[in-house]
Structure formats: C-alpha cells, structure tokens
Amino acid sequence: MDETGNDLAEDALDAQIGYNLRRASALALNDFAFEMAEAELRPVTYAMLALIDERPGIRAAGLCRLLAMKSANMAPLLAELEERGLIERDDHAKDRRVQELRLTEAAKAAMPAWRRQVRLHEDRFLHRLTSKERATLLRLLRLIWVDEAE
C-alpha cells in the first residue's frame, strides 16, 4: 500500500481491465489479419458478410444496429464489398427506397471456408484456454456489451 492507502498492485497498469482488453484485442486483430490476408477481409468486413449470410435481405440500417456502427461509416464498406463482387443490393419489394443486402454467389461459396479460417484464428488466439474457459470468456464479454447493442 502507498501513503494514501491504495493498493499499488490494484493500480498497476497490467491489473487494469481496459489495458488487458486492448492488449488481447491487438493480438486478436493481428492474428485475424494474418489468417484472412488472402481473402482481404478485415474483422469489420467479415462481420458484415457473416451477418448478411445469416440474415439474407437485411437492410443497411439493421446491419448498422447489429454492428454498432454509424451509417456514414457503413456506406463506404458496403460500396467496397459491392465493388469486390461480394454483396448485392436489391430494391425492397414494397419500398424502392429501401435496399436489401445479400451475398453474391461467389461470396456464398466462399463463406464456409472463411468461417473455417476464423475458427482457426480463434483456436490459435485462444489456445491457452480450455473450452470451458472460452465459454466463460464469451459469456463475460457479452455481459459487457449486449445491452448496449439493443
């Protein structure tokens, strides 16, 4: 303890959750970039494609909500994915101002391999954790952000 009564170990940088989250995130991002380099996918573009795959016909606004992104940040990413031939925008049947997002046939065909690559990345990144510890980590991380996304 210091002269103010604070526990120095508790105040040390490596005892702070935010610092440890940032370090783990940096490691995860670097490994993801390595694993997905050939596909030229970043975590955000992979997440967009995965959600469009899981919810064909999702609207951009729904994608923004699920990924906690602003539409101004989403628009150039959608344009990039469309340019790369990975997504298509279809006019909504009842409201032509609304566009529904779908994977192209090429992206649909590639998605299972991309999902396997992400599993490999997570296995490599989390190799020190047991499956029970991984489940606990996932549960705890969701406790932090899930209410924020709703």
Side-chain angles (χ1 to χ4, degrees), residues 120-135:
L120 286 172
H121 147 70
E122 288 199 344
D123 286 345
R124 190 171 47 248
F125 170 65
L126 300 171
H127 73 278
R128 292 184 182 112
L129 302 181
T130 66
S131 50
K132 185 176 179 179
E133 289 169 333
R134 288 180 189 198

Side-chain angles (χ1 to χ4, degrees), residues 21-125:
L21 281 172
R22 190 198 64 72
R23 292 291 304 266
S25 176
L27 187 62
L29 291 172
N30 288 338
D31 191 73
F32 187 96
F34 170 78
E35 186 65 46
M36 301 303 283
E38 190 176 314
E40 296 181 28
L41 292 176
R42 301 179 307 281
V44 67
T45 52
Y46 170 78
M48 292 168 68
L49 293 169
L51 283 172
I52 294 168
D53 185 40
E54 293 166 15
R55 300 165 188 232
I58 190 171
R59 299 174 186 178
L63 202 55
C64 285
R65 185 178 45 76
L66 290 170
L67 294 173
M69 291 179 66
K70 295 180 180 174
S71 59
N73 296 332
M74 175 77 63
L77 295 172
L78 288 172
E80 172 192 332
L81 294 174
E82 190 173 31
E83 260 179 46
R84 291 181 54 194
L86 299 174
I87 65 163
E88 321 178 294
R89 303 181 210 212
D90 298 322
D91 289 334
H92 187 272
K94 294 180 181 170
D95 186 348
R96 297 184 65 73
R97 295 172 296 175
V98 173
Q99 293 183 327
E100 297 176 335
L101 304 171
R102 298 189 194 309
L103 295 185
T104 61
E105 290 304 316
K108 281 183 202 173
M111 202 67 203
W114 292 339
R115 287 185 188 276
R116 278 191 303 277
Q117 284 181 268
V118 170
R119 278 194 305 276
L120 286 172
H121 147 70
E122 288 199 344
D123 286 345
R124 190 171 47 248
F125 170 65

